[in-house]
Amino acid sequence: MPARVRHRALIVVGALVAPLAFAATALAGNGGFAPLAPQSPNAEGIQQSYLFISAFAFAIFLLVEGILIAFVIRYRRRKRPRNMDGAQIHGATKLELAWTVGPVLILFVIAAFVFAKLPTIQDVPAAAAGSENLVVDVTGTQFTWEFRYPNGVVTIDRLRAPQGRTVELRITAPEWDVIHSWWIPALGGKMDAIPGTVNKTWFEAERAGVFQGQCAELCGLYHAKMLASVEVVPASEFDAWYDERRAQQEAGTSTLGEELYEGSCAKCHGLQGEGGYGLRIAGTQLVSDEQAIETLLRRGGILMPPVGRDWGQTEMNALTAYLKENLGG
Amino acid sequence: MAVDVGQPRVPAWQRGKVASWLVTVDHKRIGILYIGTAGFFLAIAGFLALLIRTQLAQPDGAVVTGDSYNEVVTMHGTGMVFFVMVPVLAGLGNFLVPLMIGAPDMAFPRLNALSYWLYAFAGLVYCFSFLAAGGAANTGWTAYPPLSLAALGNGQDLWILSIHILTLSSMAGAINFIVTIHNMRTAGMSWMRLPLFVWSIEIYAWLLLLVLPVLSAGLTLLLLERQFPDTFQFFRPEDVAAGGSPVLFQHVFWFFGHPEVYIMVLPVFGIISEVIPVFARKPIFGYKAVAFSTVAIGFFSMLVWAHHMFTVGMPTYLNIWFMLASMVIAVPTGMKIFNWLATLWRGNISLDTPMLFALGFLSVFTMGGLSGIYLAAFPVDWQVHDTYFVVAHFHYVLFGGSMLGLLGGLFYWWPKIFGRMLSERIGKWTFLFVFVGFNLTFFPQHMLGLLGMPRRIYTYRDDGLWHAYNLLSTVGSYVMTVGFLLFLLAIVKSVNGRRAGNDPWQADTLEWYTTSPPPPHNFDDVPYVTSARPLYDLRRRLREAEAT
């Protein structure tokens, strides 16, 4: 190999190896080459399907790019005249059949694998004795998530869930709102929150921790701030919280008011009510007038959506109390 | 045909430099008008893309507000799809189809002019919608209701209006292409001798004709419901009993929207199928397979729309259908890729700029095709849907595919269109910057999506990796911009560029038989077409005649 060619070959090899080395290190720390580490059986099934497809995709990618580079190098013009004919080959039926049937087979294998995994991804595990599924109603509104538990507990933007127990989610949006999409990457795929429709999905968190996610369907101005998280806690801790929260909520001492304010109000009016996209509300007469607040929240304003149209009296009281206490004049 | 026959008398006022362009019905001039106008919109929509990338360079970027960001995203997508890609391909098709089939013009020259002027008018509405009360449309290029119903101001209405006008333009253009290709092929040009670019324009036109009316209908319903919300409830969920549903619009939109992808990609497949054989000095490998796979892709593209809607909660059997149908499209697409590769085999490959773009297209389009398999498998789509993974995927298809191929096509046909070569030197630098910048911009977006970053957000979590990949992507977008500025430089310099002659690439199809640029009537005479490569045959016959 002449020195000049060797030099060039080194550059080419270097250019090929560098991204691979980068990819390898990134893959080791999951730098985004596969979905986030799954924490629930459905996310696990998706992850496995992803990796299965990747094996074929990567092989085909290497094959095509390999052939492309090899042919360009091998059959480049060199010193031949520019208009000299290449081999006048018009086709080869058997070869063409092969690269038609080959992909069909690969796709068949991929589809079979995905269908085999589908039940573990899609089907809600049946409730076992002593461990009922926890069914939570999830409602997306501009720009917040509301979680309603069977015992009446309501939380905003953060769903608290017991570890190792199946949580069924019934996802919707109010009829006067827009489409949102529920998504916590570590706990499975997305499900749209569509006005007038109830969609179902589920998860069963394997370990305790806080898992982040956010609305995945453009829903307007603060779509980017429509965050959600799931806090998974050990089952016993959850049970204790579940009853305590209910008692607090009934006594009006829970943090619901604050959660509602941060979820529904603060994105436009600021955390301290200092105003932003919406008007300044801190210290105004309005925040001390329960009647006026309730009317506004239920009907909406010129630019303001009717965020409280479907609230129960618990939520309304929690918010008005919070407003009066924290932002009153 | 003699030069002075059939030339209508032109009134004096129409002969001016500007006036002659305003009243022209010549397919070549209309083609140039299309391409130039699309270039103007490329600058606008490209600028919007840079705004997006600049905003996202930092997690809490403050280049634009959240409100404006939604407008920017919407108008970038709408602009690139409706006002850049589809019209520029109409322009290229307009210039080339009559020349490639040996015809003097399109079948309906005046309708052709109408198509262009409707496009220009639609573009005007698009531009002025930025000035509407409440700003331009801000609900994404997909304009899903109820969000698009709730959108305040008139931006959304003007958006609907501009696309309405544009669909009329494209429909008229599509009819013109179909009638031209069916009726005006020169003697000897059977369907199996039709240049592959013309095949792709045929399917492009049929798809436009079949799916655009559906979009028009959907947008009409949207407009009616926006303007008369008490009378019409097509997409509002309140009246489910009457059949109203927000998901209905998604079905209507994607029935148009998915074939639209192929509308933007098939003609580029055609460009690649013309460029690769010429620069490899070979016939296309498997002409029939390449032609019929175009037809197959066009057909199947109308059966897969709901793979854009796997997260709306469709019944499993529908999910399965749309998954399998989507995978089926991979087969004819794969055939094309392998046929193009085989065309390189044992060739005499010249790496001129058009060929560089064609090979670049091949390498990155493959990537876009493969990432599509993940999206077709609906459980995996539940994870990556509406994230940057999807953004990366369709930019690999529509930028890495359509735009790279288109740039290759422009470098290839520029000498025919204007009679001057584009600089090879600048061309190669253009390729380098665009290709590297493109991959730098969009490859990291796959990772962003898998890490959980949704589309269409103006601010994001301050997470080290999210920031790093976004910054990388932004850097890439500026590298790409340099590439486009170089292309502009090449265009400016081509005014004094090397004269092209009839056939600078020693190509195979009829457009190279006439002068560069061609005269108003295109050809004085057209040789009898004996194969899909009439000029190759002609050169061989000339060589044989010299030998004897």
Side-chain angles (χ1 to χ4, degrees), chain B residues 249-405:
Chain B
F249 180 85
Q250 299 187 17
H251 281 289
V252 171
F253 183 85
W254 287 114
F255 181 81
F256 145 81
H258 195 77
E260 174 78 354
V261 175
Y262 291 94
I263 287 168
M264 291 183 277
V265 152
L266 286 180
V268 176
F269 288 175
I271 293 173
I272 300 304
S273 305
E274 297 296 338
V275 169
I276 288 183
V278 168
F279 290 88
R281 310 310 304 165
K282 283 187 62 188
I284 186 89
F285 192 91
Y287 172 95
K288 281 186 186 169
V290 176
F292 289 139
S293 61
T294 310
V295 182
I297 292 172
F299 177 75
F300 283 114
S301 76
M302 288 183 286
L303 301 177
V304 300
W305 72 89
H307 70 214
H308 297 263
M309 303 164 52
F310 281 144
T311 61
V312 302
M314 281 187 297
T316 305
Y317 69 91
L318 279 182
N319 282 338
I320 289 177
W321 160 262
F322 285 110
M323 166 177 167
L324 293 179
S326 308
M327 285 184 159
V328 165
I329 293 200
V331 176
T333 313
M335 277 166 71
K336 276 186 190 293
I337 288 176
F338 286 114
N339 276 303
W340 288 324
L341 283 178
T343 306
L344 298 173
W345 179 52
R346 295 179 60 195
N348 177 21
I349 299 172
S350 295
L351 292 174
D352 297 308
T353 308
M355 187 62 162
L356 282 180
F357 276 105
L359 297 173
F361 161 95
L362 249 181
S363 67
V364 296
F365 182 77
T366 304
M367 181 84 198
L370 290 173
S371 58
I373 299 177
Y374 297 91
L375 301 173
F378 61 91
V380 180
D381 181 75
W382 289 338
Q383 189 62 256
V384 289
H385 178 75
D386 257 331
T387 68
Y388 263 88
F389 187 90
V390 174
V391 178
H393 161 72
F394 68 71
H395 281 94
Y396 262 82
V397 172
L398 292 179
F399 193 104
S402 299
M403 187 59 89
L404 287 188

Side-chain angles (χ1 to χ4, degrees), chain A residues 22 26 29-36 43 46 49-51 53-58 60-65 67-68 71-73 75-78 80-92 95-96 99-101 103-104 107-108 110-112 114-115 118 121-122 142 174-179 181 183-197 199 212-225 227 277 302-303 309, chain B residues 66-67 70 74 138-140 142 144-147 150 152 237-238 240 246-247 250 279-287 289-290 310-314 316 319-320 323-324 327-328 330-331 334-339 341-342 344-352 359 362-364 366-367 370 373-374 377-387 389 443 446-459 461 465-466 469 472 504-506 533 536 543:
Chain A
F22 170 72
N30 188 9
F33 287 84
L36 287 180
I46 292 175
S49 307
Y50 174 90
L51 293 174
I53 296 173
S54 296
F56 289 96
F58 197 60
I60 297 170
F61 179 77
L62 287 184
L63 178 76
V64 170
E65 307 293 341
I67 294 175
L68 179 65
F71 280 5
V72 169
I73 292 174
Y75 301 114
R76 70 186 190 283
R77 191 169 80 229
R78 290 197 185 93
R80 287 183 280 178
R82 154 180 291 277
N83 60 355
M84 193 178 121
D85 277 353
Q88 297 298 300
I89 307 161
H90 289 264
L95 209 55
E96 289 173 59
W99 64 58
T100 309
V101 175
V104 172
L107 291 171
F108 186 81
I110 288 177
V114 171
F115 290 149
L118 188 58
I121 299 170
Q122 186 168 252
Q142 287 176 327
E175 289 190 346
W176 41 268
D177 205 83
V178 303
I179 301 176
S181 192
W183 187 36
I184 305 290
L187 300 178
K190 288 170 203 69
M191 189 49 88
D192 288 356
I194 299 172
T197 319
N199 279 328
Q212 309 280 352
Q214 64 189 94
C215 174
E217 179 67 63
L218 177 63
C219 58
L221 180 61
Y222 286 127
H223 167 55
K225 295 195 170 174
L227 308 178
Y277 185 80
I302 299 168
L303 283 171
R309 185 178 286 184
Chain B
D67 217 4
N70 288 346
T74 304
N138 60 5
T139 61
T142 47
Y144 281 1
L147 186 63
L152 298 164
E238 275 99 337
V240 177
V247 177
Q250 299 187 17
F279 290 88
R281 310 310 304 165
K282 283 187 62 188
I284 186 89
F285 192 91
Y287 172 95
V290 176
F310 281 144
T311 61
V312 302
M314 281 187 297
T316 305
N319 282 338
I320 289 177
M323 166 177 167
L324 293 179
M327 285 184 159
V328 165
V331 176
M335 277 166 71
K336 276 186 190 293
I337 288 176
F338 286 114
N339 276 303
L341 283 178
L344 298 173
W345 179 52
R346 295 179 60 195
N348 177 21
I349 299 172
S350 295
L351 292 174
D352 297 308
L359 297 173
L362 249 181
S363 67
V364 296
T366 304
M367 181 84 198
L370 290 173
I373 299 177
Y374 297 91
F378 61 91
V380 180
D381 181 75
W382 289 338
Q383 189 62 256
V384 289
H385 178 75
D386 257 331
T387 68
F389 187 90
F443 194 78
H446 291 105
M447 284 90 101
L448 280 173
L450 291 166
L451 288 171
M453 182 167 168
R455 305 165 66 171
R456 295 166 171 168
I457 55 173
Y458 72 94
T459 177
R461 211 185 310 151
L465 266 181
W466 284 35
Y469 284 138
L472 205 59
W505 312 114
Q506 298 273 303
R533 297 193 294 164
Y536 180 85
R543 271 203 309 275

